[in-house]
Amino acid sequence: METSTPERVAGHGRQQVRERILGAGSALFYAEGVRAVSADKVIAAAGVSKVTFYRHFPTKDDLVVAYLEGLATSERARLEEIRSQHPGDAVGTLEALAGALGEVARGEAFRGCAFVNAGAEFADPAHPVRRAVAAHRAWYTDFLAAVARDGGADDPAAAAAELMMLRDGAMVCGDVDDASVVAPRLAAGFAAVLAAHQR
């Protein structure tokens, strides 16, 4: 049986500390907004020193980008899982996606799309946070274009842009209106867009 060397133990500990900082920052950024949360607040929530914080994240922006990239990784995996459960079936994929988004919107702590929220706080398109938002939204739109292509859309890119607008609106609705209507209305909207783009 392989034993852990001191270097491995230290490395594992460093990763745990990084994940603790990231977890604390992620929760605070989503609940309160990125700009409203200071590095000091994250440091206190994570229970680490300033030196430790800045060793793992040289700036608060680095932590925000890591937060968004972590969310992007999880969301992409979930979307790919949904699509894999409905191979070649755009209608089934979009219905399942609408259901999944509706379930998220009904969550007690839900306060909209983290990417839309973060993007609204950073106007400069060259800012690292805004670039992280743009990268994920580009991926999401490409994903929707692939689904639209599965459904025989005459212009998958245009269909994807419309599907993305509906998705964004649904996330706002889930935050400020009645979250219980998100899934059925989004499913109907998705179906209408797909039908409008049939070849």
Side-chain angles (χ1 to χ4, degrees):
M1 178 177 173
E2 185 180 4
T3 58
S4 295
T5 65
E7 292 80 9
R8 284 190 182 141
V9 171
H12 182 66
R14 281 194 295 272
Q15 185 62 27
Q16 284 183 327
V17 171
R18 184 184 190 280
E19 291 304 317
R20 189 162 82 242
I21 296 167
L22 181 55
S26 297
L28 288 167
F29 294 148
Y30 185 69
E32 300 179 21
V34 172
R35 291 199 182 276
V37 175
S38 66
D40 285 343
K41 189 165 189 176
V42 176
I43 288 165
V48 297
S49 68
K50 285 189 177 184
V51 170
T52 297
F53 176 90
Y54 288 111
R55 182 182 300 129
H56 291 279
F57 300 99
T59 69
K60 187 184 118 175
D61 286 347
D62 292 321
L63 177 59
V64 178
V65 169
Y67 151 64
L68 293 172
E69 288 177 344
L71 288 178
T73 297
S74 298
E75 191 164 40
R76 292 174 190 185
R78 179 63 180 127
L79 291 173
E80 293 289 10
E81 179 187 19
I82 288 171
R83 189 176 180 212
S84 71
Q85 292 168 350
H86 304 275
D89 178 7
V91 173
T93 298
L94 292 173
E95 284 181 353
L97 176 58
L101 291 171
E103 184 177 345
V104 169
R106 289 193 304 274
E108 188 175 326
F110 182 73
R111 58 173 306 271
C113 171
F115 294 91
V116 172
N117 294 347
E121 293 193 65
F122 294 85
D124 181 1
H127 192 282
V129 171
R130 190 63 180 256
R131 288 202 307 266
V133 170
H136 182 57
R137 289 181 61 78
W139 182 94
Y140 207 129
T141 302
D142 287 345
F143 171 84
L144 292 173
V147 174
R149 198 173 295 113
D150 289 343
D154 56 356
D155 187 344
E162 293 166 20
L163 293 169
M164 192 68 171
M165 285 183 69
L166 287 172
R167 178 262 179 203
D168 290 343
M171 295 296 88
V172 173
C173 175
D175 183 26
V176 301
D177 294 322
D178 182 2
S180 69
V181 305
V182 166
R185 290 183 181 172
L186 186 57
F190 279 168
V193 167
L194 198 59
H197 284 276
Q198 292 298 314
R199 295 192 182 100

